[in-house]
Amino acid sequence: MPERRTVALVTLGCARNEVDSEELAGRLEADGWQLVEDAADADVAVVNTCGFVEAAKKDSVDALLEANDLKDHGRTQAVVAVGCMAERYGKELAQALPEADGVLGFDDYADISDRLQTILSGGIHAAHTPRDRRKLLPISPAERQESAAAVALPGHGPTDLPEGVAPASGPRAPLRRRLDGSPVASVKLASGCDRRCSFCAIPSFRGSFISRRPSDVLNETRWLAEQGVKEIMLVSENNTSYGKDLGDIRLLESLLPNLADVDGIERVRVSYLQPAEMRPGLIDVLTSTPKVVPYFDLSFQHSAPDVLRAMRRFGDTDRFLELLDTIRSKAPEAGVRSNFIVGFPGESESDLAELERFLNGARLDAIGVFGYSDEEGTEAATYENKLDEDIVAERLAHISRLAEELVSQRAEERVGQTVHVLVESVDAEEGVYGRAEHQAPETDGQVLLTSGEGLSVGRMVEAKVVGTEGVDLVAEPLTGSPVCTEEAGR
């Protein structure tokens, strides 16, 4: 028998890319490819790139070059770029980076096996010429679902596949293959974005907003639960818009309780929420539904009105603080995180002071701060009133220091609270780590448990916060707690 073809997927960027990689893995395994963890052990290394900001693009190029080095002393015969950077630049990336044996766009995903086989056999698959993917679907959201089947939508793989297509497949198996054993998995709720933020290029290469069918989201969640997943995180470019192209802008409010009812799922988390689109009903569901954590990943970006208008966004400091007050009136211990851009064109010292006023009053659990840089193809790149790079760097350092202080203070406020921790790693030397309700994977800190006796990955543990380490918490498991007792009896 011929030796099996092997492939490794290297994923960079956000949780949406992780979902896309697992769909690619499902397609490849269904066509006979053997998936391996280490690129050095693979015939083909597929790098799922990020094309969001300059630093992410550099990381993607570095990863491609590192994989290319394996061709000199490893098994690797070909290196292929996929993902946002590959989609965004296409031929340009292929010409600038000849070390990549192939550059595949989203339209190639359905035929990923054939594409990789062609490249592995020494053939050439011409990289695509990038196009504005917003133009592939009707302008009216209500007309998009009928056209969606003709457009490549990574992470929207079908469910109800024939037996054998995915591991432990059955009537609920999605076109997806898990790449790790984590008790947490992301589920794509939608793709694309209809907002026109002046600094963001994502809609041009991810396309217009389109929702997945609730039944597909629910079936995939059931399948993930069967794989041992305890927490799902709903991801998209903008979850608050979910359902608008399905005729019901409040569809998320009805979907969340159904997801929480799936056997085996202990926690449902929603990410990527737009402050301007938050509505009372959604806040109510997020703060009162059992197993749906009161977690608010709100994309504020700034709080000074003039800067927000230049960003083509809405709101101001007082409105944002009112929104947070509303959330905490319903769930006092709710988790809130956000990202901010400093040094935006035209940002004055008074604008920066307004942002500081907001940060000091917001009591955020996690804060990401980025210095502005031009992104080609965006409106902001054409603005004339750019700040000098050294001023941007100075403001970035200043707000980053403030953010670090504030999230540490917020963590200290949680000392004495009882939290439910999902155990994610158990190591004899490193200790036992997990996350509480207010902490999303990768971005929001973690919890160190003071005792790991009898604990394993995937356990949900009730614990009391007894200390902090910056943004991280230190917590003591409560013996005899309902959560511990229930798990011990399994």
Side-chain angles (χ1 to χ4, degrees), residues 14 16-17 50-53 56-57 84-85 87-89 106 131-134 190-209 236-238 272 274 299 301 339 375-379:
C14 65
R16 300 185 295 273
N17 258 16
C50 178
F52 180 39
V53 293
K57 286 183 271 189
C84 291
M85 190 175 179
E87 174 62 38
R88 185 177 182 183
Y89 294 105
F106 297 151
R131 53 181 173 170
D132 189 338
R133 296 189 72 86
R134 290 172 293 191
S191 287
C193 185
D194 288 342
R195 302 186 70 86
R196 294 295 179 262
C197 301
S198 63
F199 56 84
C200 184
I202 289 176
S204 65
F205 56 85
R206 277 289 184 178
S208 297
F209 185 89
S236 76
E237 280 71 23
N238 177 10
Y272 305 112
Q274 285 291 339
S299 176
Q301 302 298 347
N339 293 323
E375 278 295 314
E376 61 181 291
T378 64
E379 181 184 354

Side-chain angles (χ1 to χ4, degrees), residues 272-335:
Y272 305 112
L273 300 169
Q274 285 291 339
E277 296 181 29
M278 290 301 294
R279 47 196 179 267
L282 180 56
I283 294 174
D284 287 343
V285 171
L286 288 171
T287 55
S288 65
T289 307
K291 294 187 180 181
V292 175
V293 293
Y295 175 80
F296 294 81
D297 176 10
L298 294 162
S299 176
F300 289 120
Q301 302 298 347
H302 211 284
S303 72
D306 289 345
V307 176
L308 286 168
R309 301 307 173 268
M311 289 179 169
R312 302 297 182 199
R313 297 177 68 84
F314 306 93
D316 55 46
T317 296
D318 292 332
R319 291 183 188 179
F320 292 163
L321 290 176
E322 288 175 6
L323 173 60
L324 295 178
D325 285 344
T326 298
I327 290 169
R328 289 176 174 137
S329 69
K330 298 175 181 295
E333 298 176 5

Side-chain angles (χ1 to χ4, degrees), residues 75-95:
R75 171 173 177 154
T76 309
Q77 301 173 51
V79 176
V80 176
V82 299
C84 291
M85 190 175 179
E87 174 62 38
R88 185 177 182 183
Y89 294 105
K91 287 184 177 180
E92 182 182 343
L93 178 62
Q95 293 168 358

Side-chain angles (χ1 to χ4, degrees), residues 347-471:
E347 181 190 62
S348 65
E349 291 187 3
S350 62
D351 292 329
L352 193 68
E354 186 69 1
L355 175 57
E356 290 186 55
R357 182 170 79 89
F358 172 68
L359 291 173
N360 279 299
R363 296 169 58 229
L364 302 177
D365 291 281
I367 301 172
V369 187
F370 301 88
Y372 173 81
S373 62
D374 285 339
E375 278 295 314
E376 61 181 291
T378 64
E379 181 184 354
T382 68
Y383 290 174
E384 296 181 355
N385 49 350
K386 305 282 179 58
L387 302 184
D388 291 340
E389 289 185 6
D390 57 343
I391 294 178
V392 175
E394 180 182 334
R395 293 184 178 183
L396 173 61
H398 172 64
I399 296 298
S400 296
R401 286 194 297 270
L402 175 62
E404 186 175 351
E405 293 174 5
L406 292 173
V407 297
S408 295
Q409 291 173 15
R410 178 61 179 142
E412 290 171 359
E413 292 178 18
R414 294 189 179 275
V415 173
Q417 293 181 3
T418 298
V419 293
H420 292 93
V421 180
L422 177 61
V423 177
E424 293 187 318
S425 67
V426 178
D427 186 276
E429 296 183 1
E430 298 292 331
V432 178
Y433 284 89
R435 289 177 301 101
E437 296 95 327
H438 68 282
Q439 297 169 319
E442 307 294 336
T443 59
D444 298 349
Q446 55 189 350
V447 179
L448 169 63
L449 294 171
T450 59
S451 172
E453 184 179 355
L455 298 183
S456 58
V457 172
R459 285 276 301 273
M460 192 73 76
V461 180
E462 192 175 41
K464 182 179 180 179
V465 180
V466 296
T468 65
E469 296 179 358
V471 70

Side-chain angles (χ1 to χ4, degrees), residues 3 86 175 225 312 368 489:
E3 186 176 4
L175 189 54
R312 302 297 182 199

